[in-house]
Amino acid sequence: GKPPLIWDSATAQFIAADQRYANPSSGTALTYLTNSLPLAEFGFYYQNRVVAKYTNHQLVVSDILSFQTDVQFNAFLINQGGNDIIVGCLPWIESQFLVFMRNSIYIAFLDPRFDITQPDRSQITVVTTELGCLARKTIVNAGQYVLFLSTNGIYLLTPQLDLKVIGNTMPLSESISDFFAGIDYSIVSNSVAAYYDNRF
């Protein structure tokens, strides 16, 4: 992905964030520089921090009001060894964001406090390990609901019960399941969705 742009109020210019980490998938030895942002497939700005996908199982988080990070300490390691990969994220509520993996969904809580004397309360909570998302750009927020493309069709996530998905929940697209039976899963990751006029 492209590096984040940073507004410099002194010079009234945008500058690109420094990215001096070697991506671990390249096989290059890592140098942990705390004044740069790692190369990432995607990222977003949330709660005054940059959150970026660093590896298939790891999200790195920058310092507050800064793009600087340290991948050893400012990171979420999610479902490592579970034959699963991070597909996308969606900002949620109260310092939380949803993490969609290929076969599971999680809630990440990002501690908003800036007090080095207090322990960090950031954490990951499982929503479900029974379904996941196939394409990052199909994750769409529609009011209090979240829609996304899964292996069985389109699913609707609701905020009730702390976003827990019940095992026998049917996909929203069950009535047109024959359409999804013909999807070419080798290219489905390029799918894009939008929510407009009460339609997904």
Side-chain angles (χ1 to χ4, degrees):
K2 296 179 180 178
L5 294 177
I6 302 163
W7 171 253
D8 186 340
S9 58
T11 62
Q13 292 181 339
F14 285 101
I15 57 172
D18 189 15
Q19 292 183 299
R20 287 187 284 161
Y21 281 95
N23 194 317
S25 62
S26 68
T28 308
L30 290 176
T31 53
Y32 296 106
L33 302 174
T34 57
N35 59 347
S36 64
L37 188 71
L39 299 173
E41 185 178 323
F42 68 86
F44 60 100
Y45 189 70
Y46 187 60
Q47 297 290 71
N48 296 319
R49 298 178 184 222
V50 176
V51 180
K53 177 184 175 183
Y54 184 49
T55 68
N56 285 338
H57 305 96
Q58 189 176 21
L59 295 170
V60 293
V61 181
S62 75
D63 295 333
I64 294 176
L65 294 174
S66 171
F67 66 91
Q68 299 178 353
T69 189
D70 188 325
V71 299
Q72 288 180 310
F73 301 107
N74 295 0
F76 288 110
L77 192 60
I78 309 168
N79 201 14
Q80 187 178 28
N83 193 26
D84 210 353
I85 64 170
I86 296 171
V87 174
C89 297
L90 181 74
W92 193 237
I93 53 173
E94 296 178 358
S95 302
Q96 297 176 337
F97 60 91
L98 299 174
V99 181
F100 290 85
M101 299 187 83
R102 185 68 52 88
N103 302 311
S104 54
I105 303 171
Y106 298 83
I107 296 176
F109 170 71
L110 199 55
D111 192 348
R113 300 175 306 167
F114 185 66
D115 185 353
I116 59 174
T117 64
Q118 298 294 322
D120 195 323
R121 299 177 301 165
S122 299
Q123 63 180 347
I124 293 287
T125 306
V126 177
V127 174
T128 182
T129 56
E130 296 179 8
L131 59 99
C133 181
L134 292 178
R136 177 172 60 90
K137 293 182 179 178
T138 65
I139 303 168
V140 176
N141 183 252
Q144 62 179 336
Y145 304 109
V146 177
L147 297 103
F148 60 95
L149 175 64
S150 186
T151 52
N152 296 327
I154 304 299
Y155 273 87
L156 178 71
L157 207 58
T158 62
Q160 63 187 6
L161 301 174
D162 295 328
L163 287 173
K164 295 294 185 282
V165 176
I166 301 170
N168 61 359
T169 300
M170 300 297 285
L172 189 65
S173 58
E174 176 64 22
S175 60
I176 54 169
S177 58
D178 56 332
F179 170 80
F180 290 95
I183 288 180
D184 183 354
Y185 287 99
S186 65
I187 59 171
V188 75
S189 62
N190 297 322
S191 300
V192 177
Y195 187 81
Y196 177 73
D197 196 21
N198 293 324
R199 293 177 183 267
F200 177 78

